[in-house]
Amino acid sequence: MMEAQAPTGGRASTQLHTCSHMQPGSLWRRNGAITGSSSSGRSHHVHCIPPQRKSAPSVLPSAQHTTSRLVASAARDETVAGAASSAVEQSTDASLDLRQQEAEFRQGLVSTIDFDEDLVGACDLGMPDFLCTAAPTPPPVMTSVKEAFTRGRWLLGLLILQSTSSMVLDKYEGLLKEHLFVTLFLTMLVGAGGNAGNQSAIKVIRGLATGALEPTFPCMIRSVKQQGVVAVLLGTGLSVGGFVRVWLSTHDMASATAITASLLMIVVVSILVGTILPYAMAKVKLDPAHAGTTIQVVMDVSGVAITCATCSFVLDQLAAALATG
């Protein structure tokens, strides 16, 4: 509260007091507006003067610029979100349309399917097999007799080819009698080779069917280079597992080493042959789809030959050289 100034003589004086009926800080002065009484008993008039309020500071230009940027960013984010939602809806509609076409095709209601070529590159990324193997026209319809004849003659040829493994076993009869554990792990070795080669063959077959790969020599070389790296990595990993498996059974370092070396060579050879075989069949106008079964038989025979030759070298020739040395 401010102190009042005492009046002097008859001259008019001004006193400032806090108004009791106003908010704290309001002032009044004696100037003839409202009659009141002071401590001296003289009449005086008071007029309450409301306190002056400071006006709010204006928004700084930098704050206005920041606000404009935030508004623009929010609008841009809303536009992007709307575009993404629209893309998802279109993708969902396309997927449903393809599934409907697939169902109608399998029921015989339609004869063709609209195939999106943009899906070819996504076949190895988890897309459904139908999206990767669909073709603009359905495969030709065969009678049961014709289909049995076509498949039967191919299987008969593979049967004759596979029987040649008996010649390999007969040649290494002495090795197998002396080292019986080789026969115990022989199915493991040829099975691993057939499975690894079949995976590579199927990948190439699917690429040729969808158009992602072409039956040309440069394309085959690119596939062989890529699968060659895969072969080394897979062969090394499987060999470690094979070594542990044989060691736990025989507790013999020479036996484990022989089986491990055989497994490494079988896997590498199988993957490379499985990659080349579909290209070779397409080149001579044979159905590359037969490469899947062919690689199994080829690696059965080749796996037996590789295993017997490797084990003979490690267990007989190398062991004898180390013993005499």
Side-chain angles (χ1 to χ4, degrees):
M1 177 186 296
M2 298 183 61
E3 295 181 355
Q5 298 178 0
T8 56
R11 293 183 304 174
S13 63
T14 301
Q15 292 182 341
L16 298 180
H17 298 278
T18 300
C19 295
S20 60
H21 64 282
M22 298 292 288
Q23 296 180 355
S26 298
L27 302 177
W28 63 272
R29 70 186 177 187
R30 191 192 318 170
N31 60 0
I34 300 176
T35 303
S37 60
S38 64
S39 58
S40 60
R42 298 175 58 184
S43 298
H44 59 270
H45 301 283
V46 297
H47 177 72
C48 288
I49 302 174
Q52 295 182 355
R53 297 181 179 179
K54 296 182 179 180
S55 60
S58 60
V59 180
L60 296 177
S62 60
Q64 295 177 349
H65 179 66
T66 302
T67 303
S68 300
R69 291 180 58 186
L70 290 175
V71 172
S73 177
R76 188 165 54 250
D77 292 343
E78 185 176 352
T79 303
V80 172
S85 177
S86 177
V88 170
E89 292 178 358
Q90 294 177 0
S91 176
T92 303
D93 294 341
S95 178
L96 293 175
D97 182 61
L98 282 173
R99 293 181 182 275
Q100 180 66 25
Q101 291 186 60
E102 178 190 12
E104 294 177 353
F105 174 77
R106 290 179 175 177
Q107 295 174 5
L109 301 179
V110 295
S111 59
T112 60
I113 295 176
D114 296 332
F115 179 60
D116 189 358
E117 295 182 355
D118 294 337
L119 296 174
V120 172
C123 288
D124 293 328
L125 301 179
M127 297 292 289
D129 289 340
F130 165 71
L131 299 181
C132 299
T133 57
T137 57
V141 178
M142 287 195 228
T143 63
S144 300
V145 175
K146 185 177 181 180
E147 182 179 356
F149 176 75
T150 303
R151 294 171 57 180
R153 65 183 180 182
W154 190 265
L155 294 175
L156 180 61
L158 295 178
L159 179 66
I160 297 174
L161 176 62
Q162 193 168 23
S163 66
T164 58
S165 61
S166 61
M167 304 177 187
V168 179
L169 295 174
D170 184 63
K171 180 180 179 179
Y172 290 95
E173 182 179 0
L175 172 70
L176 299 177
K177 287 183 179 179
E178 185 177 356
H179 304 284
L180 186 60
F181 73 92
V182 176
T183 59
L184 300 178
F185 293 100
L186 191 58
T187 55
M188 179 191 78
L189 296 173
V190 297
N195 292 333
N198 193 34
Q199 288 178 338
S200 297
I202 290 177
K203 181 177 181 179
V204 175
I205 292 170
R206 182 161 54 184
L208 293 173
T210 58
L213 300 176
E214 298 179 356
T216 60
F217 184 76
C219 188
M220 183 189 72
I221 294 300
R222 288 194 298 269
S223 297
V224 169
K225 289 181 179 179
Q226 190 269 337
Q227 287 297 300
V229 178
V230 175
V232 174
L233 296 176
L234 281 177
T236 303
L238 292 175
S239 297
V240 173
F243 180 87
V244 174
R245 175 66 181 86
V246 177
W247 172 260
L248 293 176
S249 298
T250 63
H251 297 286
D252 182 65
M253 181 62 69
S255 301
T257 302
I259 298 298
T260 300
S262 301
L263 182 59
L264 175 61
M265 287 188 287
I266 288 174
V267 171
V268 172
V269 171
S270 178
I271 291 177
L272 294 179
V273 174
T275 303
I276 297 173
L277 199 56
Y279 286 105
M281 288 186 170
K283 190 66 176 179
V284 297
K285 306 301 181 181
L286 292 177
D287 189 358
H290 291 306
T293 55
T294 304
I295 189 61
Q296 294 278 357
V297 176
V298 169
M299 289 316 302
D300 283 349
V301 179
S302 302
V304 170
I306 292 174
T307 301
C308 291
T310 303
C311 290
S312 176
F313 173 77
V314 174
L315 299 175
D316 293 341
Q317 302 176 23
L318 184 59
L322 293 176
T324 56

